[in-house]
């Protein structure tokens, strides 16, 4: 069925005119005449059946319909341009794989391992974007996502990667002269740093270690990303409850210490997620199998290290 779409040239003229609020400057950008741009805009308005611009005291302004249309068209053209530039820049048979990842997990676990993926699959170009919450694959330009939570994602397949243990950590000098706290109840005397995408993290940990007064676990400054929480803890702003594997480097360097050594397994896990419709794509299969192999290798190395000790 034929799509109901105006010409691409008309949309380009409209988008340029929106940015400049001038047909003359839009024409200069597009290497057209001012009259050619005017004709394209008029043809677009005729196609849509409504005015997109009007003149107010000799100034070009968008109508209400024009403002709404401009937002949608600019997004469409931006995405079309990005896809075009990616394809022009990369001609490998595998194509471009867009991975939506959790920023801290991505930067600390995934990115350091990507050299191996690039060596094994030189025909696949990775495009990494950040997403901190689940999204609709039909509305976001992503082939694969790294997700933390339950194994639930409508229309998608979830592959479990790993669980985690969460532990309270803080700057070494925060504990009022103590090396480590003796009783979990003592934590309620400190500022507890909160993570906005895991609002129940402190309450879950406190409940797991037998602290009944969990209301105090909701108080404290909130940060959107783990790396912000980590930096706040290092700066001595309070105590954070974090996945131990994400802060192991800071613990090893002494930038952070365990406020109390009681790691608690998280109720959820990390998953690699992709739409069911893309399960058989070469680039998706290659990345999925590689990530799962990296996880298995990490588990084997941890097990071996434990045996050596």
């Amino acid at each position: 069925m034929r799509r109901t779409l105006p010409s691409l040239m008309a949309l380009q003229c409209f988008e340029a005119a929106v940015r400049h609020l001038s047909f003359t400057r839009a024409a200069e950008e597009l290497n057209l005449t001012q009259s050619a741009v005017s004709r394209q805009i008029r043809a677009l308005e005729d196609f849509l059946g409504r005015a997109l611009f009007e003149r107010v005291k000799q100034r070009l302004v968008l109508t209400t319909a024009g403002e709404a249309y401009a937002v949608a068209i600019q997004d469409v053209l931006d995405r079309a341009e990005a896809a075009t530039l990616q394809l022009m820049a990369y001609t490998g048979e595998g194509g471009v794989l867009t991975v939506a990842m959790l920023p801290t997990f991505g930067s600390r676990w995934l990115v350091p391992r990507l050299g191996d993926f690039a060596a094994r699959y030189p025909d696949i170009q990775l495009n990494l974007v950040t997403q901190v919450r689940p999204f609709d694959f039909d509305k976001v330009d992503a082939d694969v996502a790294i997700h933390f939570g339950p194994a639930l994602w409508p229309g998608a397949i979830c592959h479990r990667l790993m669980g985690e243990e969460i532990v309270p950590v803080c700057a070494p000098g925060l504990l009022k002269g103590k090396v480590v706290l003796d009783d979990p109840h003592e934590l309620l005397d400190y500022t507890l740093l909160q993570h906005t995408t895991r609002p129940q993290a402190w309450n879950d940990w406190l409940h797991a270690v037998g602290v009944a007064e969990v209301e105090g676990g909701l108080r404290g400054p909130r940060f959107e990303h783990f790396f912000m929480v980590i930096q706040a803890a290092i700066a001595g702003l309070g105590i954070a409850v974090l996945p131990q594997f994400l802060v192991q480097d800071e613990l090893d360097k002494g930038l952070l210490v365990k406020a109390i050594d009681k790691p608690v397994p998280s109720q959820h896990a990390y998953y690699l997620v992709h739409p069911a419709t893309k399960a058989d794509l070469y680039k998706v299969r290659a990345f999925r199998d590689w990530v799962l192999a990296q996880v298995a290798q990490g588990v084997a190395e941890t097990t071996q290290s434990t045996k050596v000790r």
Side-chain angles (χ1 to χ4, degrees), residues 206-229:
L206 289 167
H207 179 76
V209 297
V211 178
E213 312 93 276
V214 295
E215 293 81 4
L218 297 175
R219 294 194 296 269
R222 298 182 179 276
F223 303 86
E224 185 174 10
H225 299 298
F226 267 136
F227 67 82
M228 294 179 180
V229 183

Side-chain angles (χ1 to χ4, degrees), residues 97-100 109-110 114 117 121 124 126 128 143-146 272-273 281-294:
L97 179 75
T98 299
V99 180
W109 189 89
L110 181 61
L114 287 181
F117 181 82
Y121 300 98
I124 298 176
L126 287 176
L128 303 180
D143 301 299
V144 174
I146 303 297
L272 185 145
V273 184
L281 289 181
Y282 162 69
K283 60 184 181 181
V284 171
R285 287 188 290 107
F287 186 74
R288 176 198 65 206
D289 294 346
W290 175 81
V291 170
L292 291 173
Q294 290 291 312

Side-chain angles (χ1 to χ4, degrees), residues 255-270:
L255 297 173
L256 291 173
V257 296
K258 294 180 183 178
I260 187 167
D261 195 6
K262 288 183 177 292
V264 171
S266 174
Q267 298 176 17
H268 298 306
Y270 291 89

